Amino acid sequence: MSLPPEKASELKQLIHQQLSKMDVHGRIREILAETIREELAPDQQQLSTEDLIKALRRRGIIDDVMKELNFVTDNVDQELPSSPKQPVCFTDRQSTLLKKTNIDPTRRYLYLQVLGGKAFLEHLQEPEPLPGQVCSTFTLCLHFRNQRFRSKPVPCACEPDFHDGFLLEVHRESLGDGTRMADSTTMLSISDPIHMVLIKTDIFGETTLVASYFLEWRSVLGSENGVTNLTVELMGVGTESKVAVGILNIKLEMYPALNQTLSQEVVNTQLALERQKTAEKERLFLVYAKQWWREYLQIRPSHSSRLVKIFAQDENGINRPVCSYVKPLRAGRLLDTPRQAARFVNVLGYERAPVIGGGGKQEQWCTLLAFLCRNKGDCEDHANLLCSLLLGYGLEAFVCVGTKAKGVPHAWVMTCGTDGTITFWESLTGHRYIHKSTNPDEPPVAEQPKPLYPYRTVGCVFNHQMFLGNCQPSDSVEVCVFDLNDESKWKPMSEEAIKSVCAPGATTSLPPFPPLCASTIDASVTSNEIEMQLRLLVSEHRKDLGLTTVWEDQLSYLLSPALASYEFERTTSISAGNEEFQDAIRRAVPDGHTFKGFPIHFVYRNARRAFATCLRSPFCEEIICCRGDQVNVPLRSNCLGVSGISLGYTGRLCSLKDSEQLSQHVQSMKHEVHLFCKNDK
């Protein structure tokens, strides 16, 4: 297929620039002179083209050129978003597991190289890991204009050995410019920063958010030759957001090189104007929010004690309107239904923001990229993500801020049906509750609906366009009426005011929402590894008790339908396939034996930790430690939906089953372990 003339010329320019960068012409001249001196016979007047090509090939020049002209991607570290546009990652030639990928010569790319880190003083005394030794690692995650990347893990050290490159496509999808190569002026108007998140993973697989940084990349537009080097100081998160945790050396380079670079003064002026415009919008919104709050307190002085949250601090300690944490988010083909989305969010780990010392809960609402990369967060992070996904499915969804039992602050999601049905979604468990308000004026003998949800009070509800404060006489969820159009019950904020600071592109300080990505972990391989680890743990534990272990594969296989049925029920609230499982177990269990089950789930892949949790249950310990004259132990690992753990007990056989599914975004997992044993009566 031939290229259009303008594309062919741009491709030639790319190749010429790369050859000039490698000084290929100089190397060819050196080899030509050397070849003439060493190989040309006295009676021979000239070298043939074939002789010269052989000499270049023999010295590896041709191979070097071909390697340098191939943009490659690391098939382990690249995250594939659900959008049709798939970014590419450009890595060093020395990297292993590389594969070629095509690039569009008509597009503009920003090549970001991470050239190492330094001054990570927390790891100053960290010993250098021995070959093959398991150690804590750093991983750098990036997001830029719907493209996500992840570096290779490197051992934690005072000077971590980051050496990764990422090829970021710089495109503009509006006004018909999507197929045109972006020039300097166009790129100067693209205000999206590069969001960088540094994650630490310890030897047990636990992740910690180390730093979150927004890189302003447009300084490269005013640099000579379109290349610039930056020193990025990473600050801590939460209570440590004012403390530096380390420094990254970064190099930015435009591909292909800019035909015309901007002056640094023009770039600085543009950035200053954007900051000034953002600051003015945020100031005006703050003035409006204060006025709204005064009016809200005038309705009823007791409103001052309600959880009406207008602003929330992110991981960098920056106060942002809560509406900016929510945005309609489409999962592509990764999640097919709202209930699958609820199940996905529920399997992400729950962890409160760490607090140094006492004093109660630490305030920290994470940006979506930090939440997904860390793979765990607080209830507000779960609720914001679930609300965004439900909005993407076309539902009228809101985040509710209130309390649970004993006045513990909590956040959950609410959807309003077209028929007036109010449904609560608990993002930490995936459970759904239908809300029916009680009438406090009814006589005591009147039958009132009994709430099944755990929520006690609600102070406000919000999404990406609306914010409403609860101004009903009581903030108890039981008696609240969720007619959000009734301003006597819910005081709204101006939608225009919210849009001025929370709409996409309204301010440069808003972090762009990243896409969800398919898991990079092979579920089958990981399940097999966990199965082998659990087998070893069970065998060792029984051996310590003086018991032998004989593995039974057939019964393990029969347990698979149960796991699939459990997962299907957790996702859809519909039970299916239980009859076939029961029939198969009845056939497999001999007469005079008993079968019992015990469910539990995990949100981690640590087999030893899962096994220790199982042993803390007396019933589970009884199954694992069962005795009999003929004891067989089956163990099976299946990749299902998201999973949990179940234990079963039946007579002469004992089985442990672990099932795991990696959820389709962000490598979140739950394991279903089934322990079954048969004992004589």
Side-chain angles (χ1 to χ4, degrees):
M1 184 179 67
S2 60
L3 288 173
E6 64 275 6
K7 293 187 178 181
S9 62
E10 290 169 354
L11 183 59
K12 290 178 181 178
Q13 181 185 4
L14 264 176
I15 296 174
H16 177 72
Q17 291 170 351
Q18 190 66 30
L19 294 179
S20 301
K21 180 181 176 182
M22 296 174 59
D23 192 24
V24 171
H25 299 91
R27 296 169 68 182
I28 291 177
R29 283 193 293 269
E30 292 176 2
I31 292 173
L32 180 59
E34 181 181 345
T35 304
I36 292 175
R37 185 172 60 253
E38 296 179 357
E39 301 181 10
L40 191 62
D43 57 345
Q44 191 174 355
Q45 298 300 319
Q46 62 182 7
L47 278 174
S48 66
T49 304
E50 291 77 9
D51 294 334
L52 180 57
I53 291 177
K54 287 180 182 179
L56 294 175
R57 193 186 306 272
R58 188 166 58 249
R59 287 162 175 78
I61 300 299
I62 294 179
D63 290 339
D64 289 345
V65 171
M66 296 306 296
K67 288 179 182 178
E68 288 291 341
L69 290 178
N70 280 328
F71 287 96
V72 295
T73 180
D74 191 331
N75 59 359
V76 173
D77 298 329
Q78 179 182 353
E79 298 185 5
L80 301 179
S82 57
S83 62
K85 186 181 297 298
Q86 296 188 356
V88 293
C89 177
F90 185 66
T91 57
D92 296 331
R93 290 184 298 164
Q94 292 80 3
S95 301
T96 58
L97 295 176
L98 300 178
K99 69 177 183 180
K100 299 177 183 178
T101 186
N102 295 324
I103 66 167
D104 188 346
T106 66
R107 291 295 185 104
R108 185 80 66 184
Y109 295 91
L110 175 65
Y111 181 37
L112 185 151
Q113 297 180 73
V114 184
L115 304 177
K118 58 184 179 181
F120 285 80
L121 301 181
E122 185 177 343
H123 302 277
L124 185 61
Q125 304 298 327
E126 198 88 17
E128 186 173 347
L130 299 174
Q133 180 184 2
V134 178
C135 62
S136 300
T137 59
F138 283 139
T139 304
L140 188 64
C141 303
L142 277 71
H143 168 237
F144 177 69
R145 295 184 67 77
N146 215 39
Q147 305 164 77
R148 285 179 61 183
F149 302 86
R150 189 181 60 210
S151 71
K152 296 182 291 294
V154 299
C156 293
C158 182
E159 297 185 356
D161 189 26
F162 286 111
H163 282 91
D164 281 283
F166 309 96
L167 197 66
L168 314 178
E169 184 177 334
V170 185
H171 55 85
R172 189 174 182 85
E173 297 291 358
S174 61
L175 304 177
D177 292 336
T179 59
R180 190 182 308 168
M181 180 180 289
D183 56 16
S184 301
T185 305
T186 301
M187 289 188 289
L188 186 61
S189 66
I190 299 177
S191 59
D192 293 11
I194 301 173
H195 191 184
M196 306 170 65
V197 170
L198 184 62
I199 300 294
K200 177 183 176 181
T201 306
D202 65 18
I203 59 176
F204 303 107
E206 293 296 315
T207 56
T208 305
L209 178 61
V210 178
S212 175
Y213 184 84
F214 294 93
L215 176 65
E216 177 52 70
W217 57 275
R218 286 176 289 177
S219 60
V220 72
L221 301 178
S223 60
E224 187 178 357
N225 300 324
V227 180
T228 186
N229 290 280
L230 303 174
T231 299
V232 173
E233 184 180 34
L234 301 179
M235 309 301 287
V237 296
T239 56
E240 302 176 24
S241 59
K242 305 300 181 184
V243 180
V245 296
I247 294 174
L248 291 180
N249 296 319
I250 291 177
K251 179 180 179 181
L252 298 177
E253 186 172 0
M254 299 303 306
Y255 279 100
L258 298 173
N259 295 326
Q260 179 182 3
T261 59
L262 303 174
S263 69
Q264 198 62 52
E265 182 180 359
V266 170
V267 175
N268 293 337
T269 301
Q270 173 69 17
L271 299 182
L273 288 174
E274 290 179 358
R275 287 192 293 268
Q276 181 180 355
K277 182 179 178 182
T278 295
E280 180 63 15
K281 287 185 176 181
E282 292 176 345
R283 186 189 68 81
L284 292 175
F285 181 78
L286 179 59
V287 171
Y288 170 77
K290 288 181 177 180
Q291 177 63 31
W292 183 93
W293 178 248
R294 284 193 294 269
E295 295 173 357
Y296 182 72
L297 294 181
Q298 290 173 0
I299 298 174
R300 203 173 281 108
S302 61
H303 286 177
S304 61
S305 62
R306 295 187 179 182
L307 280 178
V308 180
K309 195 134 193 82
I310 304 175
F311 296 92
Q313 283 189 355
D314 62 12
E315 64 267 21
N316 291 323
I318 298 174
N319 278 307
R320 297 200 284 117
V322 293
C323 295
S324 67
Y325 290 89
V326 175
K327 173 189 172 183
L329 182 63
R330 293 191 295 181
R333 299 187 182 277
L334 300 178
L335 301 169
D336 295 325
T337 67
R339 297 196 184 190
Q340 281 188 6
R343 181 63 168 147
F344 161 68
V345 175
N346 130 248
V347 301
L348 295 173
Y350 169 63
E351 180 182 82
R352 286 188 171 187
V355 181
I356 300 177
K361 180 181 177 181
Q362 170 67 30
E363 169 77 12
Q364 180 176 307
W365 291 28
C366 284
T367 57
L368 182 55
L369 183 66
F371 177 41
L372 294 177
C373 294
R374 188 173 55 148
N375 206 20
K376 58 185 176 183
D378 211 333
C379 59
E380 294 88 358
D381 303 323
H382 287 78
N384 290 334
L385 175 56
L386 178 56
C387 183
S388 298
L389 289 168
L390 296 183
L391 288 169
Y393 284 109
L395 301 179
E396 187 180 10
F398 298 86
V399 175
C400 301
V401 179
T403 63
K404 295 196 300 183
K406 299 181 180 179
V408 177
H410 190 63
W412 66 96
V413 179
M414 174 187 72
T415 53
C416 305
T418 54
D419 59 353
T421 302
I422 301 298
T423 305
F424 294 150
W425 302 64
E426 178 49 60
S427 57
L428 296 180
T429 63
H431 295 161
R432 300 166 65 252
Y433 308 95
I434 302 299
H435 170 70
K436 295 181 179 179
S437 61
T438 61
N439 187 351
D441 298 328
E442 290 284 342
V445 295
E447 186 177 354
Q448 297 279 11
K450 186 177 180 180
L452 300 177
Y453 44 78
Y455 318 120
R456 294 294 177 264
T457 65
V458 56
C460 64
V461 300
F462 66 88
N463 61 17
H464 63 300
Q465 295 177 330
M466 301 173 65
F467 183 95
L468 303 107
N470 184 3
C471 55
Q472 300 175 60
S474 172
D475 62 352
S476 174
V477 179
E478 293 183 35
V479 299
C480 275
V481 177
F482 287 89
D483 181 4
L484 303 183
N485 296 317
D486 188 347
E487 294 191 9
S488 67
K489 294 180 173 61
W490 295 93
K491 178 174 175 55
M493 270 193 171
S494 166
E495 293 189 23
E496 289 299 321
I498 294 174
K499 188 183 299 183
S500 68
V501 291
C502 297
T507 64
T508 57
S509 62
L510 283 183
F513 268 49
L516 296 185
C517 294
S519 174
T520 58
I521 299 177
D522 190 318
S524 299
V525 172
T526 306
S527 297
N528 289 335
E529 292 174 352
I530 293 176
E531 177 179 313
M532 297 306 297
Q533 294 170 16
L534 287 172
R535 283 196 177 199
L536 180 61
L537 292 170
V538 172
S539 298
E540 290 179 347
H541 186 78
R542 289 176 58 82
K543 184 178 180 181
D544 292 341
L545 299 175
L547 302 173
T548 59
T549 305
V550 180
W551 297 103
E552 173 59 49
D553 294 329
Q554 178 58 23
L555 185 58
S556 295
Y557 184 72
L558 296 183
L559 301 176
S560 297
L563 294 177
S565 177
Y566 297 158
E567 181 56 33
F568 184 76
E569 184 175 1
R570 288 296 297 269
T571 304
T572 65
S573 301
I574 300 173
S575 178
N578 198 35
E579 299 81 3
E580 294 85 355
F581 168 69
Q582 291 182 358
D583 185 68
I585 292 297
R586 288 192 185 101
R587 292 176 179 275
V589 176
D591 293 338
H593 293 71
T594 305
F595 182 90
K596 296 181 181 179
F598 172 73
I600 185 174
H601 12 52
F602 303 116
V603 291
Y604 44 81
R605 305 193 305 268
N606 189 317
R608 186 173 295 277
R609 181 179 171 190
F611 184 67
T613 303
C614 291
L615 288 179
R616 284 198 289 269
S617 167
F619 187 77
C620 179
E621 185 181 16
E622 177 189 352
I623 295 171
I624 295 177
C625 304
C626 70
R627 298 171 181 268
D629 55 347
Q630 295 180 2
V631 177
N632 294 327
V633 184
L635 188 149
R636 167 89 169 175
S637 179
N638 275 351
C639 182
L640 297 174
V642 190
S643 51
I645 277 199
S646 284
L647 306 187
Y649 177 153
T650 66
R652 284 180 197 224
L653 298 174
C654 172
S655 83
L656 180 144
K657 178 171 182 108
D658 172 88
S659 155
E660 143 187 286
Q661 177 211 2
L662 305 159
S663 58
Q664 293 175 335
H665 132 16
V666 221
Q667 308 146 12
S668 50
M669 293 195 169
K670 279 203 168 186
H671 312 287
E672 289 243 0
V673 177
H674 280 249
L675 300 172
F676 290 95
C677 84
K678 302 180 186 174
N679 275 347
D680 293 329
K681 284 187 175 179

